[in-house]
Amino acid sequence: MAEPRILVVGGGLAGLACTMRLAELGVHVDLVSLVPVKRSHSVCAQGGINSVNALTRQQGDTEWKHFDDTVYGGDFLQHQPPVKEMADWGPRIVDLMDRLGVPFNRTTEGFRDQRRFGGTLYKRTSFAGATTGQQLLYALDEQVRRREVEGLVTKWEFWDFLTPVLDERGRCRGAVCQDLVTMQFRAFQADAVVLASGGNGLIYGRSTMSMVCTGSAVSRAYQAGAWYGNGEFIQVHPTAIPGADKLRLMSESARGEGGRVWVPRKPQDPRDPREIPEAERCYFLEERYPKYGNLVPRDIATREIFDICTNEGLSVEKDRLCVYLDLTHIPRETLDRKLGGILEIYEKFQGVDPRSMPMKIFPAVHYSMGGLWVDYTRSGDGGMLEGSPRNQQTSIPGLYAIGECDYQYHGANRLGANSLLSCIFSGLFVAPSLKAAREEGSRGGEPTKLFDAAVRRQEERHRELLSRTAGTENPYDLHQQLGGLMTRVATVVRRNEQLADAYGEVCQMEERWRRCAVSDTGNWTNQNVVFTKALGDMFPVAKVILKGALLRDECRGAHFKPQFSMPGIEAVEPAAKRAEAERWCDRFEENTRKWLKSTIAACGPGGEPDISYQDVDTSLIPPRPRLYGLVGAEVIEEVWKERQAARSAAEGLTGGVGVAVAAP
Ligand SMILES: Cc1cc2nc3c(=O)[nH]c(=O)nc-3n(C[C@H](O)[C@H](O)[C@H](O)COP(=O)(O)OP(=O)(O)OC[C@H]3O[C@@H](n4cnc5c(N)ncnc54)[C@H](O)[C@@H]3O)c2cc1C
């Protein structure tokens, strides 16, 4: 048998972690990336990485509680075994990164410092100032370079993944990629291909994500037959700097270090914010969510900020929606030590020092919980079975997905600082599965004609694009229109009529894309044609997002349709309150039966998404109402607990039972 060879597409945290572990296992890796791996979007991650730690353990925290916070925060939409496994690995991953040299902040005693992030009451987040992603990425990059020198890794930076190559049985045998300098095409034969290609924020035009986060690789895999899971779940981060070119994140770590969100009680109060007395400020998150305060999960904080500006008319500015994020009560030295990276960003782009003046922020598209559907094998203890070739495998055998581009870990809403963990975890965990997959799928070398034909198809597509000089559409204008539309209808608040109309508009835009003119027809570093291709691949995913959102008639995590919201309890008299809580729980149960399902999109023959649903494995922690700050939460919780106890008694259950994970 020839030496095993794996193709990893993407050199962010997920791709580098996977490459590092594969090389440790003696497997050769071809690592393809649009940008130099050290410039992958992961380098922008700011606030930190979660795991249970010595400090939180003293307060009663456990891996199970981390797991519980993650599935509760994600509104129970993720299969639980992979999430449990990830939470179990958390402490080892942070220790590993520490040993690899990540300069995590330390306390004066020399212990790793921790901060609190949203959706938990524990300080689980390790951080390196406010540039955690950069420090983690550089540490993994060093390890991968070491293996490159040893000859186990070959890097292909400035290469674009164009399509997986499938054999006649539908198994992935490699991929076709394009050199973005010489514009040459090349087929990579591989025993397995792993996509670690990150998020797709560019579908929304402006977002907090890097400008290479087009989602092109995922879209190409989807169009080749891989299923897309939970596409409609897009995270809108509560705190970003609005900008004309892009939206820049002000990390949740600002609130984790004590930052407070507020608006003046008087609409558009013209005074300098520092002169507005406490009594005339509305700290709306603290008032409405006393337990979690400014650190409620992101979907909730985002809706509150959106609501206070749009419905309550309390935006700080009249012509631009924003609220204050205030750090001015925290000593400057602390701010510089713990948040330096993000404060510099604010200062640079707004020209204001956030150490002495409250920042103005507003929500922005930030993260995609959805992504390529991936499988797993459940282990005996309820986690994931290490080494199973099914782990992280897409619906195309031999094609895998890890990191932000899979749909596996965050359900309907991701908790802050859990993504860096899921990226590194899925990267490390998948490596032995890839080795096993190779053994399972191997049948010797593939005929070169399979790859030659795949390369030829890409060359033809490329030539066709270059020949469109007389086209009437401008790809950059079209992209702005797509982004504007998606931001308007598929972010914080969603309405069926708008989603249905938008779907039609996106189909028209896709048609218009076929008439895009490419102004640069050269064959040397042609960014114009690369962008135009990526734009063409945004439409199929935009349609997955819109159709999934249109069909999902409920509110869950980041997906909010006012028509289906379940407000709190209005009654005040105890018996009436109780009766209302019973009705609330009935409705919750009915909704769970109907909608606690993953949305699975398959690309139909005409390019339209065929949607089906898959049951979610919630066998470890039974779903319960998400009650953060809801009026009447205590009585709903009381009713819910009684029902659960009665159910357990009736079924004689002490824990969960296994649920088979079936393909849709
Ligand atoms: C501003 C910001 C701050 C964040 N801060 C945090 C935080 O503090 N904590 C946390 O947990 N999460 C954070 N997140 C989320 C987190 O940064 C990302 O989810 C994570 O870094 C994604 O890593 P990844 O390895 O999956 O992909 P990425 O780091 O995005 O890497 C993708 C790779 O794929 C390559 N690629 C893409 N398309 C192609 C193609 N067609 N061909 C070839 N290569 C391709 C790219 O070149 C790149 O190498 C933050 C997100 C943002 C936007």
Side-chain angles (χ1 to χ4, degrees), residues 10-14 33-35 40-42 45-48 159-161 196-198 208 216 249 366-367 404 417-420 423:
L13 286 174
S33 171
L34 278 177
V35 291
S40 297
H41 165 75
S42 292
Q46 301 174 344
W159 279 74
D160 193 4
F161 164 89
S197 54
T208 62
S216 59
L249 185 72
H366 179 65
Y367 183 86
E404 186 168 342
N418 257 354
S419 173
L420 299 188
C423 287

PDB file of all heavy atoms in Angstrom, residues 10-14 33-35 40-42 45-48 159-161 196-198 208 216 249 366-367 404 417-420 423, ligand 1:
ATOM      1  N   GLY A  10      -7.383  24.260   4.632  1.00  0.00           N
ATOM      2  CA  GLY A  10      -7.562  25.272   5.671  1.00  0.00           C
ATOM      3  C   GLY A  10      -6.502  25.154   6.738  1.00  0.00           C
ATOM      4  O   GLY A  10      -6.268  24.080   7.275  1.00  0.00           O
ATOM      5  N   GLY A  11      -5.867  26.289   7.022  1.00  0.00           N
ATOM      6  CA  GLY A  11      -4.778  26.300   8.013  1.00  0.00           C
ATOM      7  C   GLY A  11      -5.094  27.213   9.175  1.00  0.00           C
ATOM      8  O   GLY A  11      -4.215  27.873   9.720  1.00  0.00           O
ATOM      9  N   GLY A  12      -6.375  27.268   9.573  1.00  0.00           N
ATOM     10  CA  GLY A  12      -6.730  27.951  10.825  1.00  0.00           C
ATOM     11  C   GLY A  12      -6.486  26.985  11.979  1.00  0.00           C
ATOM     12  O   GLY A  12      -5.764  25.978  11.830  1.00  0.00           O
ATOM     13  N   LEU A  13      -7.095  27.262  13.112  1.00  0.00           N
ATOM     14  CA  LEU A  13      -6.827  26.411  14.278  1.00  0.00           C
ATOM     15  C   LEU A  13      -7.212  24.960  14.019  1.00  0.00           C
ATOM     16  O   LEU A  13      -6.486  24.039  14.395  1.00  0.00           O
ATOM     17  CB  LEU A  13      -7.588  26.939  15.496  1.00  0.00           C
ATOM     18  CG  LEU A  13      -6.985  28.205  16.096  1.00  0.00           C
ATOM     19  CD1 LEU A  13      -7.880  28.750  17.207  1.00  0.00           C
ATOM     20  CD2 LEU A  13      -5.591  27.936  16.643  1.00  0.00           C
ATOM     21  N   ALA A  14      -8.367  24.745  13.368  1.00  0.00           N
ATOM     22  CA  ALA A  14      -8.816  23.375  13.143  1.00  0.00           C
ATOM     23  C   ALA A  14      -7.846  22.656  12.202  1.00  0.00           C
ATOM     24  O   ALA A  14      -7.389  21.543  12.488  1.00  0.00           O
ATOM     25  CB  ALA A  14     -10.227  23.372  12.563  1.00  0.00           C
ATOM     26  N   SER A  33      -4.248  26.293   1.591  1.00  0.00           N
ATOM     27  CA  SER A  33      -4.922  27.442   2.205  1.00  0.00           C
ATOM     28  C   SER A  33      -4.951  28.621   1.243  1.00  0.00           C
ATOM     29  O   SER A  33      -3.982  28.869   0.518  1.00  0.00           O
ATOM     30  CB  SER A  33      -4.164  27.852   3.479  1.00  0.00           C
ATOM     31  OG  SER A  33      -4.672  29.062   3.977  1.00  0.00           O
ATOM     32  N   LEU A  34      -6.060  29.353   1.289  1.00  0.00           N
ATOM     33  CA  LEU A  34      -6.190  30.550   0.448  1.00  0.00           C
ATOM     34  C   LEU A  34      -5.130  31.585   0.795  1.00  0.00           C
ATOM     35  O   LEU A  34      -4.650  32.320  -0.058  1.00  0.00           O
ATOM     36  CB  LEU A  34      -7.550  31.211   0.706  1.00  0.00           C
ATOM     37  CG  LEU A  34      -8.789  30.667  -0.004  1.00  0.00           C
ATOM     38  CD1 LEU A  34     -10.010  31.429   0.473  1.00  0.00           C
ATOM     39  CD2 LEU A  34      -8.644  30.792  -1.520  1.00  0.00           C
ATOM     40  N   VAL A  35      -4.837  31.664   2.092  1.00  0.00           N
ATOM     41  CA  VAL A  35      -3.895  32.683   2.585  1.00  0.00           C
ATOM     42  C   VAL A  35      -2.778  31.952   3.332  1.00  0.00           C
ATOM     43  O   VAL A  35      -2.949  30.785   3.689  1.00  0.00           O
ATOM     44  CB  VAL A  35      -4.608  33.668   3.544  1.00  0.00           C
ATOM     45  CG1 VAL A  35      -5.585  34.539   2.800  1.00  0.00           C
ATOM     46  CG2 VAL A  35      -5.317  32.912   4.673  1.00  0.00           C
ATOM     47  N   SER A  40      -4.804  32.999   8.608  1.00  0.00           N
ATOM     48  CA  SER A  40      -6.160  32.435   8.622  1.00  0.00           C
ATOM     49  C   SER A  40      -7.010  33.233   9.596  1.00  0.00           C
ATOM     50  O   SER A  40      -6.495  33.829  10.560  1.00  0.00           O
ATOM     51  CB  SER A  40      -6.114  30.981   9.088  1.00  0.00           C
ATOM     52  OG  SER A  40      -5.379  30.228   8.172  1.00  0.00           O
ATOM     53  N   HIS A  41      -8.321  33.183   9.399  1.00  0.00           N
ATOM     54  CA  HIS A  41      -9.188  34.008  10.230  1.00  0.00           C
ATOM     55  C   HIS A  41      -9.007  33.784  11.732  1.00  0.00           C
ATOM     56  O   HIS A  41      -9.180  34.712  12.540  1.00  0.00           O
ATOM     57  CB  HIS A  41     -10.658  33.798   9.849  1.00  0.00           C
ATOM     58  CG  HIS A  41     -11.554  34.348  10.892  1.00  0.00           C
ATOM     59  ND1 HIS A  41     -11.749  35.700  11.033  1.00  0.00           N
ATOM     60  CD2 HIS A  41     -12.195  33.750  11.905  1.00  0.00           C
ATOM     61  CE1 HIS A  41     -12.502  35.900  12.082  1.00  0.00           C
ATOM     62  NE2 HIS A  41     -12.787  34.734  12.635  1.00  0.00           N
ATOM     63  N   SER A  42      -8.619  32.561  12.136  1.00  0.00           N
ATOM     64  CA  SER A  42      -8.431  32.274  13.571  1.00  0.00           C
ATOM     65  C   SER A  42      -7.515  33.289  14.244  1.00  0.00           C
ATOM     66  O   SER A  42      -7.614  33.511  15.456  1.00  0.00           O
ATOM     67  CB  SER A  42      -7.812  30.890  13.764  1.00  0.00           C
ATOM     68  OG  SER A  42      -8.703  29.867  13.397  1.00  0.00           O
ATOM     69  N   ALA A  45      -9.224  35.859  16.472  1.00  0.00           N
ATOM     70  CA  ALA A  45     -10.002  35.538  17.679  1.00  0.00           C
ATOM     71  C   ALA A  45      -9.415  36.285  18.866  1.00  0.00           C
ATOM     72  O   ALA A  45      -8.200  36.384  19.015  1.00  0.00           O
ATOM     73  CB  ALA A  45     -10.011  34.041  17.913  1.00  0.00           C
ATOM     74  N   GLN A  46     -10.292  36.796  19.681  1.00  0.00           N
ATOM     75  CA  GLN A  46      -9.837  37.748  20.683  1.00  0.00           C
ATOM     76  C   GLN A  46      -9.877  37.207  22.110  1.00  0.00           C
ATOM     77  O   GLN A  46      -8.896  37.138  22.825  1.00  0.00           O
ATOM     78  CB  GLN A  46     -10.708  39.009  20.581  1.00  0.00           C
ATOM     79  CG  GLN A  46     -10.640  39.663  19.216  1.00  0.00           C
ATOM     80  CD  GLN A  46     -11.599  40.831  19.036  1.00  0.00           C
ATOM     81  OE1 GLN A  46     -12.534  41.016  19.809  1.00  0.00           O
ATOM     82  NE2 GLN A  46     -11.363  41.631  18.015  1.00  0.00           N
ATOM     83  N   GLY A  47     -11.089  36.806  22.529  1.00  0.00           N
ATOM     84  CA  GLY A  47     -11.349  36.727  23.968  1.00  0.00           C
ATOM     85  C   GLY A  47     -10.830  35.528  24.704  1.00  0.00           C
ATOM     86  O   GLY A  47     -10.452  35.628  25.872  1.00  0.00           O
ATOM     87  N   GLY A  48     -10.790  34.325  24.093  1.00  0.00           N
ATOM     88  CA  GLY A  48     -10.258  33.202  24.846  1.00  0.00           C
ATOM     89  C   GLY A  48     -10.846  31.870  24.469  1.00  0.00           C
ATOM     90  O   GLY A  48     -11.613  31.746  23.522  1.00  0.00           O
ATOM     91  N   TRP A 159      -3.572  28.800  -2.404  1.00  0.00           N
ATOM     92  CA  TRP A 159      -4.239  27.829  -3.274  1.00  0.00           C
ATOM     93  C   TRP A 159      -5.707  27.791  -2.910  1.00  0.00           C
ATOM     94  O   TRP A 159      -6.078  27.873  -1.739  1.00  0.00           O
ATOM     95  CB  TRP A 159      -3.634  26.429  -3.094  1.00  0.00           C
ATOM     96  CG  TRP A 159      -2.359  26.255  -3.862  1.00  0.00           C
ATOM     97  CD1 TRP A 159      -1.137  26.777  -3.551  1.00  0.00           C
ATOM     98  CD2 TRP A 159      -2.180  25.508  -5.077  1.00  0.00           C
ATOM     99  NE1 TRP A 159      -0.207  26.409  -4.494  1.00  0.00           N
ATOM    100  CE2 TRP A 159      -0.819  25.626  -5.435  1.00  0.00           C
ATOM    101  CE3 TRP A 159      -3.022  24.755  -5.887  1.00  0.00           C
ATOM    102  CZ2 TRP A 159      -0.283  25.021  -6.576  1.00  0.00           C
ATOM    103  CZ3 TRP A 159      -2.497  24.140  -7.012  1.00  0.00           C
ATOM    104  CH2 TRP A 159      -1.142  24.295  -7.359  1.00  0.00           C
ATOM    105  N   ASP A 160      -6.550  27.665  -3.928  1.00  0.00           N
ATOM    106  CA  ASP A 160      -8.008  27.670  -3.746  1.00  0.00           C
ATOM    107  C   ASP A 160      -8.546  26.254  -3.975  1.00  0.00           C
ATOM    108  O   ASP A 160      -8.310  25.673  -5.051  1.00  0.00           O
ATOM    109  CB  ASP A 160      -8.610  28.645  -4.787  1.00  0.00           C
ATOM    110  CG  ASP A 160     -10.064  28.972  -4.511  1.00  0.00           C
ATOM    111  OD1 ASP A 160     -10.600  28.518  -3.489  1.00  0.00           O
ATOM    112  OD2 ASP A 160     -10.661  29.709  -5.343  1.00  0.00           O
ATOM    113  N   PHE A 161      -9.263  25.731  -2.993  1.00  0.00           N
ATOM    114  CA  PHE A 161      -9.915  24.420  -3.158  1.00  0.00           C
ATOM    115  C   PHE A 161     -11.138  24.620  -4.049  1.00  0.00           C
ATOM    116  O   PHE A 161     -12.015  25.435  -3.742  1.00  0.00           O
ATOM    117  CB  PHE A 161     -10.333  23.896  -1.782  1.00  0.00           C
ATOM    118  CG  PHE A 161     -11.338  22.777  -1.799  1.00  0.00           C
ATOM    119  CD1 PHE A 161     -10.945  21.449  -1.867  1.00  0.00           C
ATOM    120  CD2 PHE A 161     -12.700  23.050  -1.718  1.00  0.00           C
ATOM    121  CE1 PHE A 161     -11.879  20.421  -1.869  1.00  0.00           C
ATOM    122  CE2 PHE A 161     -13.648  22.035  -1.712  1.00  0.00           C
ATOM    123  CZ  PHE A 161     -13.226  20.716  -1.795  1.00  0.00           C
ATOM    124  N   ALA A 196     -11.343  22.336   6.557  1.00  0.00           N
ATOM    125  CA  ALA A 196     -11.222  23.097   7.809  1.00  0.00           C
ATOM    126  C   ALA A 196     -11.251  24.555   7.381  1.00  0.00           C
ATOM    127  O   ALA A 196     -10.380  25.344   7.719  1.00  0.00           O
ATOM    128  CB  ALA A 196      -9.921  22.743   8.506  1.00  0.00           C
ATOM    129  N   SER A 197     -12.262  24.886   6.576  1.00  0.00           N
ATOM    130  CA  SER A 197     -12.224  26.135   5.813  1.00  0.00           C
ATOM    131  C   SER A 197     -12.991  27.286   6.454  1.00  0.00           C
ATOM    132  O   SER A 197     -13.184  28.316   5.823  1.00  0.00           O
ATOM    133  CB  SER A 197     -12.742  25.865   4.390  1.00  0.00           C
ATOM    134  OG  SER A 197     -14.015  25.269   4.454  1.00  0.00           O
ATOM    135  N   GLY A 198     -13.416  27.124   7.710  1.00  0.00           N
ATOM    136  CA  GLY A 198     -13.942  28.266   8.468  1.00  0.00           C
ATOM    137  C   GLY A 198     -15.351  28.682   8.089  1.00  0.00           C
ATOM    138  O   GLY A 198     -16.101  27.953   7.431  1.00  0.00           O
ATOM    139  N   THR A 208     -18.072  40.433  11.214  1.00  0.00           N
ATOM    140  CA  THR A 208     -16.823  40.541  11.991  1.00  0.00           C
ATOM    141  C   THR A 208     -15.757  39.604  11.437  1.00  0.00           C
ATOM    142  O   THR A 208     -14.634  39.607  11.895  1.00  0.00           O
ATOM    143  CB  THR A 208     -17.066  40.148  13.459  1.00  0.00           C
ATOM    144  OG1 THR A 208     -17.490  38.780  13.497  1.00  0.00           O
ATOM    145  CG2 THR A 208     -18.113  41.026  14.116  1.00  0.00           C
ATOM    146  N   SER A 216     -16.607  29.452   0.443  1.00  0.00           N
ATOM    147  CA  SER A 216     -16.552  28.851  -0.894  1.00  0.00           C
ATOM    148  C   SER A 216     -16.278  27.343  -0.846  1.00  0.00           C
ATOM    149  O   SER A 216     -16.913  26.566  -1.564  1.00  0.00           O
ATOM    150  CB  SER A 216     -15.482  29.545  -1.751  1.00  0.00           C
ATOM    151  OG  SER A 216     -14.216  29.425  -1.127  1.00  0.00           O
ATOM    152  N   LEU A 249     -15.147  43.376  15.657  1.00  0.00           N
ATOM    153  CA  LEU A 249     -15.641  42.844  16.923  1.00  0.00           C
ATOM    154  C   LEU A 249     -15.062  43.575  18.125  1.00  0.00           C
ATOM    155  O   LEU A 249     -13.886  43.919  18.154  1.00  0.00           O
ATOM    156  CB  LEU A 249     -15.250  41.362  17.020  1.00  0.00           C
ATOM    157  CG  LEU A 249     -15.808  40.655  18.247  1.00  0.00           C
ATOM    158  CD1 LEU A 249     -17.302  40.432  18.103  1.00  0.00           C
ATOM    159  CD2 LEU A 249     -15.101  39.326  18.478  1.00  0.00           C
ATOM    160  N   HIS A 366     -21.472  37.186  12.911  1.00  0.00           N
ATOM    161  CA  HIS A 366     -20.200  36.823  13.534  1.00  0.00           C
ATOM    162  C   HIS A 366     -19.773  35.374  13.326  1.00  0.00           C
ATOM    163  O   HIS A 366     -18.591  35.077  13.234  1.00  0.00           O
ATOM    164  CB  HIS A 366     -20.359  37.090  15.036  1.00  0.00           C
ATOM    165  CG  HIS A 366     -19.170  36.759  15.862  1.00  0.00           C
ATOM    166  ND1 HIS A 366     -17.973  37.424  15.735  1.00  0.00           N
ATOM    167  CD2 HIS A 366     -18.981  35.844  16.847  1.00  0.00           C
ATOM    168  CE1 HIS A 366     -17.099  36.928  16.598  1.00  0.00           C
ATOM    169  NE2 HIS A 366     -17.686  35.958  17.279  1.00  0.00           N
ATOM    170  N   TYR A 367     -20.746  34.460  13.279  1.00  0.00           N
ATOM    171  CA  TYR A 367     -20.355  33.043  13.340  1.00  0.00           C
ATOM    172  C   TYR A 367     -21.463  32.203  12.727  1.00  0.00           C
ATOM    173  O   TYR A 367     -22.637  32.542  12.834  1.00  0.00           O
ATOM    174  CB  TYR A 367     -20.158  32.641  14.810  1.00  0.00           C
ATOM    175  CG  TYR A 367     -19.680  31.222  14.998  1.00  0.00           C
ATOM    176  CD1 TYR A 367     -18.323  30.922  14.948  1.00  0.00           C
ATOM    177  CD2 TYR A 367     -20.571  30.180  15.215  1.00  0.00           C
ATOM    178  CE1 TYR A 367     -17.869  29.625  15.107  1.00  0.00           C
ATOM    179  CE2 TYR A 367     -20.127  28.878  15.374  1.00  0.00           C
ATOM    180  CZ  TYR A 367     -18.776  28.613  15.329  1.00  0.00           C
ATOM    181  OH  TYR A 367     -18.327  27.330  15.481  1.00  0.00           O
ATOM    182  N   GLU A 404     -15.039  25.582  12.316  1.00  0.00           N
ATOM    183  CA  GLU A 404     -16.271  26.356  12.126  1.00  0.00           C
ATOM    184  C   GLU A 404     -17.085  25.845  10.944  1.00  0.00           C
ATOM    185  O   GLU A 404     -18.297  26.054  10.875  1.00  0.00           O
ATOM    186  CB  GLU A 404     -15.949  27.849  11.955  1.00  0.00           C
ATOM    187  CG  GLU A 404     -17.219  28.675  11.895  1.00  0.00           C
ATOM    188  CD  GLU A 404     -17.001  30.174  12.006  1.00  0.00           C
ATOM    189  OE1 GLU A 404     -15.927  30.605  12.464  1.00  0.00           O
ATOM    190  OE2 GLU A 404     -17.936  30.924  11.646  1.00  0.00           O
ATOM    191  N   ALA A 417     -16.145  31.747  23.340  1.00  0.00           N
ATOM    192  CA  ALA A 417     -14.910  31.030  23.721  1.00  0.00           C
ATOM    193  C   ALA A 417     -15.033  29.509  23.588  1.00  0.00           C
ATOM    194  O   ALA A 417     -14.130  28.782  23.970  1.00  0.00           O
ATOM    195  CB  ALA A 417     -14.431  31.410  25.113  1.00  0.00           C
ATOM    196  N   ASN A 418     -16.148  29.042  23.050  1.00  0.00           N
ATOM    197  CA  ASN A 418     -16.280  27.606  22.796  1.00  0.00           C
ATOM    198  C   ASN A 418     -15.824  27.232  21.390  1.00  0.00           C
ATOM    199  O   ASN A 418     -15.661  26.065  21.090  1.00  0.00           O
ATOM    200  CB  ASN A 418     -17.752  27.170  22.948  1.00  0.00           C
ATOM    201  CG  ASN A 418     -18.002  26.452  24.265  1.00  0.00           C
ATOM    202  OD1 ASN A 418     -17.077  26.177  25.027  1.00  0.00           O
ATOM    203  ND2 ASN A 418     -19.253  26.144  24.535  1.00  0.00           N
ATOM    204  N   SER A 419     -15.671  28.225  20.515  1.00  0.00           N
ATOM    205  CA  SER A 419     -15.302  27.875  19.145  1.00  0.00           C
ATOM    206  C   SER A 419     -13.830  27.485  19.046  1.00  0.00           C
ATOM    207  O   SER A 419     -13.482  26.512  18.382  1.00  0.00           O
ATOM    208  CB  SER A 419     -15.595  29.021  18.185  1.00  0.00           C
ATOM    209  OG  SER A 419     -15.078  28.689  16.923  1.00  0.00           O
ATOM    210  N   LEU A 420     -12.980  28.253  19.700  1.00  0.00           N
ATOM    211  CA  LEU A 420     -11.558  27.898  19.627  1.00  0.00           C
ATOM    212  C   LEU A 420     -11.375  26.483  20.158  1.00  0.00           C
ATOM    213  O   LEU A 420     -10.577  25.699  19.646  1.00  0.00           O
ATOM    214  CB  LEU A 420     -10.717  28.901  20.425  1.00  0.00           C
ATOM    215  CG  LEU A 420     -10.800  30.361  19.940  1.00  0.00           C
ATOM    216  CD1 LEU A 420      -9.787  31.228  20.677  1.00  0.00           C
ATOM    217  CD2 LEU A 420     -10.568  30.464  18.440  1.00  0.00           C
ATOM    218  N   CYS A 423     -12.694  23.980  17.521  1.00  0.00           N
ATOM    219  CA  CYS A 423     -11.791  23.893  16.362  1.00  0.00           C
ATOM    220  C   CYS A 423     -10.589  23.008  16.686  1.00  0.00           C
ATOM    221  O   CYS A 423     -10.255  22.086  15.933  1.00  0.00           O
ATOM    222  CB  CYS A 423     -11.282  25.286  15.971  1.00  0.00           C
ATOM    223  SG  CYS A 423     -12.536  26.292  15.187  1.00  0.00           S
TER     224      CYS A 423
HETATM  225  C1  LIG B   1     -13.390  38.769  15.355  1.00  0.00           C
HETATM  226  C2  LIG B   1     -13.624  37.390  15.887  1.00  0.00           C
HETATM  227  C3  LIG B   1     -13.183  37.047  17.162  1.00  0.00           C
HETATM  228  C4  LIG B   1     -13.395  35.769  17.665  1.00  0.00           C
HETATM  229  N1  LIG B   1     -12.977  35.466  18.938  1.00  0.00           N
HETATM  230  C5  LIG B   1     -13.196  34.210  19.421  1.00  0.00           C
HETATM  231  C6  LIG B   1     -12.782  33.860  20.742  1.00  0.00           C
HETATM  232  O1  LIG B   1     -12.210  34.654  21.467  1.00  0.00           O
HETATM  233  N2  LIG B   1     -13.033  32.614  21.171  1.00  0.00           N
HETATM  234  C7  LIG B   1     -13.660  31.672  20.403  1.00  0.00           C
HETATM  235  O2  LIG B   1     -13.851  30.554  20.856  1.00  0.00           O
HETATM  236  N3  LIG B   1     -14.043  31.989  19.139  1.00  0.00           N
HETATM  237  C8  LIG B   1     -13.816  33.220  18.632  1.00  0.00           C
HETATM  238  N4  LIG B   1     -14.218  33.519  17.359  1.00  0.00           N
HETATM  239  C9  LIG B   1     -14.615  32.433  16.448  1.00  0.00           C
HETATM  240  C10 LIG B   1     -13.340  31.723  15.943  1.00  0.00           C
HETATM  241  O3  LIG B   1     -12.327  32.673  15.721  1.00  0.00           O
HETATM  242  C11 LIG B   1     -13.556  30.951  14.666  1.00  0.00           C
HETATM  243  O4  LIG B   1     -14.728  30.210  14.743  1.00  0.00           O
HETATM  244  C12 LIG B   1     -12.364  30.015  14.422  1.00  0.00           C
HETATM  245  O5  LIG B   1     -11.153  30.711  14.495  1.00  0.00           O
HETATM  246  C13 LIG B   1     -12.496  29.305  13.082  1.00  0.00           C
HETATM  247  O6  LIG B   1     -11.346  28.533  12.890  1.00  0.00           O
HETATM  248  P1  LIG B   1     -11.239  27.508  11.702  1.00  0.00           P
HETATM  249  O7  LIG B   1      -9.934  26.808  11.868  1.00  0.00           O
HETATM  250  O8  LIG B   1     -12.457  26.689  11.622  1.00  0.00           O
HETATM  251  O9  LIG B   1     -11.228  28.401  10.398  1.00  0.00           O
HETATM  252  P2  LIG B   1     -10.377  29.673   9.983  1.00  0.00           P
HETATM  253  O10 LIG B   1      -9.438  30.132  11.028  1.00  0.00           O
HETATM  254  O11 LIG B   1     -11.345  30.650   9.432  1.00  0.00           O
HETATM  255  O12 LIG B   1      -9.480  29.121   8.812  1.00  0.00           O
HETATM  256  C14 LIG B   1     -10.040  28.788   7.567  1.00  0.00           C
HETATM  257  C15 LIG B   1      -8.929  28.310   6.667  1.00  0.00           C
HETATM  258  O13 LIG B   1      -9.503  27.795   5.475  1.00  0.00           O
HETATM  259  C16 LIG B   1      -8.852  28.332   4.355  1.00  0.00           C
HETATM  260  N5  LIG B   1      -9.810  28.342   3.250  1.00  0.00           N
HETATM  261  C17 LIG B   1     -11.068  28.838   3.223  1.00  0.00           C
HETATM  262  N6  LIG B   1     -11.621  28.653   2.009  1.00  0.00           N
HETATM  263  C18 LIG B   1     -10.698  28.019   1.261  1.00  0.00           C
HETATM  264  C19 LIG B   1     -10.648  27.581  -0.092  1.00  0.00           C
HETATM  265  N7  LIG B   1     -11.665  27.732  -0.938  1.00  0.00           N
HETATM  266  N8  LIG B   1      -9.518  26.987  -0.521  1.00  0.00           N
HETATM  267  C20 LIG B   1      -8.453  26.831   0.290  1.00  0.00           C
HETATM  268  N9  LIG B   1      -8.438  27.231   1.575  1.00  0.00           N
HETATM  269  C21 LIG B   1      -9.549  27.819   2.044  1.00  0.00           C
HETATM  270  C22 LIG B   1      -8.378  29.700   4.794  1.00  0.00           C
HETATM  271  O14 LIG B   1      -7.287  30.120   4.024  1.00  0.00           O
HETATM  272  C23 LIG B   1      -7.963  29.401   6.243  1.00  0.00           C
HETATM  273  O15 LIG B   1      -6.665  28.878   6.275  1.00  0.00           O
HETATM  274  C24 LIG B   1     -14.056  34.808  16.872  1.00  0.00           C
HETATM  275  C25 LIG B   1     -14.518  35.146  15.605  1.00  0.00           C
HETATM  276  C26 LIG B   1     -14.333  36.439  15.126  1.00  0.00           C
HETATM  277  C27 LIG B   1     -14.922  36.792  13.798  1.00  0.00           C
END
